[in-house]
Amino acid sequence: MNTIESTLSHPTSTTPASAISVCDLSHWFATAEGTPLQVLDQINLEIPVHSIAAILGSSGCGKSTLLNIISGLMTPNQGRIAINGIYNDHSGPSPHVSYMFQEDRLLPWRTAQHNVEFSLEAGSLSRQSRQEQACEALALVGLAGFADAFPYQLSGGMRSRVALARSLVQNPSILLMDEPFSRLDALTRAQMHEELLRIQQLKQMTIVFVTHDVEEAVVLADQVTVLAPRPGRIRSTLAIPLERPRDATSTTSSQYIKELKSLI
Ligand SMILES: Nc1ncnc2c1ncn2[C@@H]1O[C@H](COP(=O)(O)OP(=O)(O)O)[C@@H](O)[C@H]1O
Ligand SMILES: [Mg+2]
């Protein structure tokens, strides 16, 4: 193939209005029996810059696998991902993207401050800059007074805030979150939703979060993509053009919740 043909059939960039473009993505895992287990099938998804997108689906339908692939931690068997208009070259996670995992993954022997600094240790920042940025990130999530606390001294909500600070300290333009608040009680989860919306506005980030909680998707997201299981494929993407803050019990929210529940 000559260079022009090659460029046409394998473009290196896409529309920058999308923070994330997922193009014809399919993925399967090897199994002990030898038959590949297909987990994702022909996923196409555009996530606009500065928006909040939810990926909603039942357990096992491929949500975490999709997020792992978008983050660059996993390479798909088929298809491509563009981040801010540039296709991933599979050389690893993009520097623009932070990933907040389902478990908080805090290091128990490190204070909140040192857990947040951990995210910066691979870079070239001086120790003082790392300390300053970690302090700022902890203040951003409302934990300025808890820098010296160890994880065992913190409540579930506070641990979530430390994990969020650790994701934010690198100043990502895109934040991926895998069911980040699923272990919290309802009240604490609602507080974390408010915090997240405040920080997203302040930092003008794009957020993609995975959830199996329909109410959470409607309260937070600008668009909700419903995945159908075995193999995971997109059943529908629904825009939620409601003003914020949203109340999951309002009539309009309830209509979206009902519609999404019928799609799952
Ligand atoms: N590394 C892996 N090897 C083999 N199977 C996997 C692996 N990771 C996930 N799976 C399988 O892929 C399917 C989707 O998993 P996952 O993406 O974690 O779903 P979800 O996050 O929606 O619960 C499940 O059946 C799971 O058992
Ligand atoms: Mg999962």
Side-chain angles (χ1 to χ4, degrees):
M1 195 184 283
N2 69 32
T3 317
I4 294 170
E5 279 175 332
S6 150
T7 310
L8 286 175
S9 54
H10 298 287
T12 53
S13 67
T14 178
T15 163
S18 287
I20 299 169
S21 300
V22 178
C23 310
D24 293 327
L25 182 84
S26 295
H27 192 71
W28 43 90
F29 290 110
T31 62
E33 300 80 48
T35 336
L37 172 73
Q38 185 164 10
V39 175
L40 295 170
D41 183 27
Q42 289 288 309
I43 306 282
N44 285 286
L45 187 58
E46 295 292 331
I47 297 176
V49 170
H50 300 163
S51 70
I52 304 182
I55 296 167
L56 179 68
S58 53
S59 187
C61 74
K63 305 182 295 298
S64 296
T65 306
L66 178 57
L67 220 54
N68 288 338
I69 291 173
I70 292 174
S71 73
L73 287 176
M74 274 173 63
T75 303
N77 292 117
Q78 212 171 285
R80 292 194 297 169
I81 306 290
I83 300 291
N84 295 328
I86 310 292
Y87 281 106
N88 188 325
D89 59 4
H90 306 308
S91 59
S94 158
H96 304 286
V97 178
S98 257
Y99 197 168
M100 190 170 162
F101 297 99
Q102 193 164 359
E103 326 79 48
D104 60 42
R105 300 194 184 185
L106 298 184
L107 300 171
W109 60 89
R110 285 186 163 218
T111 61
Q113 165 88 21
H114 289 137
N115 264 288
V116 177
E117 280 182 37
F118 183 73
S119 284
L120 300 171
E121 283 171 7
S124 55
L125 287 176
S126 67
R127 189 157 177 234
Q128 192 185 343
S129 302
R130 289 201 304 264
Q131 284 170 347
E132 285 168 4
Q133 292 190 19
C135 275
E136 257 176 55
L138 282 171
L140 183 65
V141 300
L143 282 184
F146 293 87
D148 295 329
F150 286 90
Y152 77 90
Q153 297 172 309
L154 300 172
S155 68
M158 290 159 108
R159 290 177 65 115
S160 258
R161 286 171 194 259
V162 177
L164 182 57
R166 193 185 46 193
S167 301
L168 294 172
V169 74
Q170 287 167 307
N171 242 335
S173 64
I174 299 173
L175 176 60
L176 307 178
M177 309 175 91
D178 191 353
E179 308 206 33
F181 311 130
S182 59
R183 287 162 196 227
L184 302 179
D185 61 81
L187 271 179
T188 312
R189 191 159 62 233
Q191 284 168 356
M192 291 308 294
H193 291 163
E194 277 178 32
E195 286 291 273
L196 187 65
L197 290 171
R198 178 182 63 80
I199 292 167
Q200 191 258 350
Q201 280 294 306
L202 189 73
K203 296 281 181 181
Q204 290 291 296
M205 286 181 299
T206 305
I207 296 180
V208 185
F209 73 97
V210 153
T211 185
H212 58 259
D213 180 339
V214 183
E215 280 83 0
E216 181 171 68
V218 170
V219 165
L220 289 180
D222 296 302
Q223 72 176 45
V224 181
T225 297
V226 179
L227 280 194
R230 282 180 291 277
R233 59 202 181 283
I234 293 181
R235 186 161 278 162
S236 184
T237 294
L238 190 67
I240 314 274
L242 299 177
E243 279 188 10
R244 296 190 173 91
R246 297 174 184 169
D247 174 1
T249 60
S250 74
T251 317
T252 37
S253 294
S254 304
Q255 281 163 356
Y256 284 106
I257 290 168
K258 202 170 157 194
E259 185 168 352
L260 287 168
K261 281 187 175 165
S262 73
L263 288 168
I264 293 179

